């Protein structure tokens, strides 16, 4: 089944790190998109970050002014769940917490049309388990965007046990219509990328705790030797230390891999509110909360 991007309307639930980037990808494709969050602060920040991102993309010659204007006009910011009721497709990007995702999806199930497709950006939770609390498990698809979503094209897509073929095809076509590059993975915690990245990031944190080297030295070493664009500590600051903590707990609970277990330093820093870029300080200190790239 083809998805006609010119007729779609989309919603994104959660205006945090990922929801903000995902909304950019959809608006840039010219698809009307409503960004919903329960937090007025999160919505105001997302609006400012998105408009700054479009301005910066134009200034760097990566986006024509008219395309930036069209993308900005495609966006709405809403704190009322009913604003998502007319969406054809909704991407859920709220906290990685199963009861919270169930509560949101079951509320959306009540206000949306039976045809509305739900995608979940969950990193480690099971798509089948999320779908089980949605009221429409056949219309839930896993769509794990990569950070920063506004720059990264890859989306790891997975089916829950009851996802229908029609929903799968609609979700896949939606990704293509918004210029993303979907790949299929099994419904497995961490999918492909986080299976590598969560233990690797935790190794870097343990290395700091053990006094092997400072964050900047570890990052420099990995970029110089491995050709990575970012070092592991820079990337954890971008991901959010709270998100790294929740993802580690979820992956460890399923795999029992000791490298996936949250390092004590990660727990201490998250408890102290040192969450990385979003709080202004993590392994590094930041002077601005602009979204990454342009
Ligand atoms: N940060 C990453 O690197 C990354 C990458 C891929 C996937 N993910 C996944 O994306 C999801 C979101 O992660 P994030 O890093 O953007 O989190 P975040 O903490 O930056 O943002 C979450 C947002 O959800 C909002 N929220 C919470 N409950 C809500 C509700 N019931 N209704 C509406 N809004 C609600 C919060 O107010 C917050 O603004 C998680 O499932 C996470 O595992 C994160």
């Amino acid at each position: 089944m083809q998805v006609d991007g010119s007729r779609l309307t989309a919603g994104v639930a959660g205006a945090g790190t990922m929801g903000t980037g995902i909304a950019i990808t959809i608006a840039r494709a010219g698809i009307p998109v409503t960004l919903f969050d329960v937090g007025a602060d999160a919505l105001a920040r997302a609006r400012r970050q998105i408009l700054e991102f479009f301005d910066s993309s134009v200034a760097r010659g990566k986006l024509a002014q008219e395309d930036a204007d069209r993308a900005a006009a495609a966006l709405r910011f809403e704190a009322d769940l009913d604003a998502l009721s007319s969406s054809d497709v909704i991407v859920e990007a709220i906290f990685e917490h199963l009861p919270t995702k169930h509560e949101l999806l079951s509320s959306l199930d009540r206000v949306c049309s039976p045809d509305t497709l739900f995608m979940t950006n969950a990193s480690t939770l099971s798509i089948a388990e999320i779908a089980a609390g949605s009221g429409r498990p056949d219309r839930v698809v896993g769509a794990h965007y990569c950070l920063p979503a506004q720059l990264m094209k890859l989306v790891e897509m997975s089916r829950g046990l009851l996802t229908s073929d029609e929903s799968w095809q609609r979700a896949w076509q939606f990704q293509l219509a918004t210029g993303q590059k979907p790949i299929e993975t099994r419904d497995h915690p961490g999918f492909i990328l986080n299976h590598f990245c969560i233990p690797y990031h935790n190794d870097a944190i343990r290395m700091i705790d053990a006094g092997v080297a400072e964050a900047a030295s570890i990052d420099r070493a990995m970029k110089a030797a491995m050709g990575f664009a970012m070092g592991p500590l820079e990337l954890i600051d971008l991901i959010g230390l709270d998100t790294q903590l929740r993802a580690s707990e979820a992956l460890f609970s399923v795999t029992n891999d000791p490298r996936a277990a949250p390092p004590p330093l990660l727990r201490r820093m998250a408890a102290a509110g040192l969450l990385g870029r979003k709080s202004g300080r993590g392994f590094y200190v930041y002077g601005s909360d602009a979204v990454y790239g342009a």
Side-chain angles (χ1 to χ4, degrees):
M1 172 196 277
Q2 291 294 312
V3 168
D4 180 355
S6 66
R7 293 205 195 138
L8 277 179
T9 58
V12 175
T17 308
M18 292 307 294
T20 300
I22 293 166
I24 289 174
T25 67
I26 300 171
R28 228 173 12 202
I31 297 173
V33 52
T34 300
L35 183 54
F36 160 75
D37 200 291
V38 284
D41 291 354
L43 279 174
R45 187 178 56 237
R47 179 200 286 267
R48 177 175 50 75
Q49 289 175 327
I50 291 174
L51 296 179
E52 283 171 4
F53 178 81
F54 288 147
D55 283 348
S56 159
S57 300
V58 170
R60 294 187 193 185
K62 297 192 172 171
L63 194 64
Q65 184 66 57
E66 66 192 58
D67 292 334
D69 293 343
R70 192 178 55 129
L75 274 153
R76 283 170 60 200
F77 300 84
E78 296 283 351
D80 179 0
L81 187 82
D82 285 338
L84 295 185
S85 62
S86 58
S87 305
D88 299 300
V89 174
I90 295 174
V91 184
E92 171 280 303
I94 66 166
F95 298 142
E96 187 81 354
H97 183 241
L98 190 60
T100 310
K101 289 195 192 279
H102 278 170
E103 196 183 327
L104 173 74
L105 293 182
S106 60
S107 303
L108 284 171
D109 181 53
R110 285 193 289 277
V111 300
C112 292
S113 144
D115 287 338
T116 303
L117 177 72
F118 295 167
M119 282 187 244
T120 172
N121 189 43
S123 302
T124 43
L125 294 171
S126 151
I127 306 307
E129 282 185 75
I130 293 171
S134 71
R136 54 177 76 195
D138 54 324
R139 277 152 291 160
V140 176
V141 176
H144 182 247
Y145 287 74
C146 293
L147 182 77
Q150 63 275 14
L151 301 184
M152 304 290 279
K153 296 286 178 207
L154 183 73
V155 181
E156 295 172 294
M157 307 270 295
S158 45
R159 303 170 198 244
L161 287 174
L162 300 180
T163 304
S164 72
D165 283 343
E166 194 208 347
S167 299
W168 177 256
Q169 290 304 328
R170 281 177 66 199
W172 193 275
Q173 292 299 329
F174 178 81
Q175 294 300 338
L176 297 179
T178 52
Q180 299 299 117
K181 293 199 170 129
I183 56 160
E184 181 169 0
T185 80
R186 252 187 55 203
D187 177 12
H188 183 78
F191 306 113
I192 299 171
L193 292 184
N194 275 336
H195 215 86
F196 290 117
C197 289
I198 290 172
Y200 158 66
H201 289 160
N202 288 340
D203 286 345
I205 297 171
R206 285 195 190 91
M207 212 177 268
I208 294 177
D209 220 3
V212 175
E214 292 185 353
S217 304
I218 297 170
D219 283 342
R220 267 204 303 277
M222 296 309 286
K223 287 190 283 191
M226 309 294 284
F228 292 165
M230 297 180 89
L233 288 320
E234 288 172 301
L235 192 49
I236 297 167
D237 270 1
L238 186 59
I239 290 167
L241 276 78
D242 50 343
T243 302
Q244 173 71 19
L245 176 58
R246 283 195 208 104
S248 299
E249 285 169 338
L251 189 61
F252 178 65
S253 73
V254 178
T255 62
N256 280 328
D257 173 0
R259 291 177 59 230
L265 177 60
L266 175 63
R267 280 195 193 285
R268 291 203 299 278
M269 290 179 71
L274 305 179
L275 306 182
R277 279 176 179 262
K278 64 178 145 187
S279 72
R281 184 174 154 199
F283 293 101
Y284 299 91
V285 176
Y286 301 89
S288 136
D289 68 352
V291 293
Y292 191 80

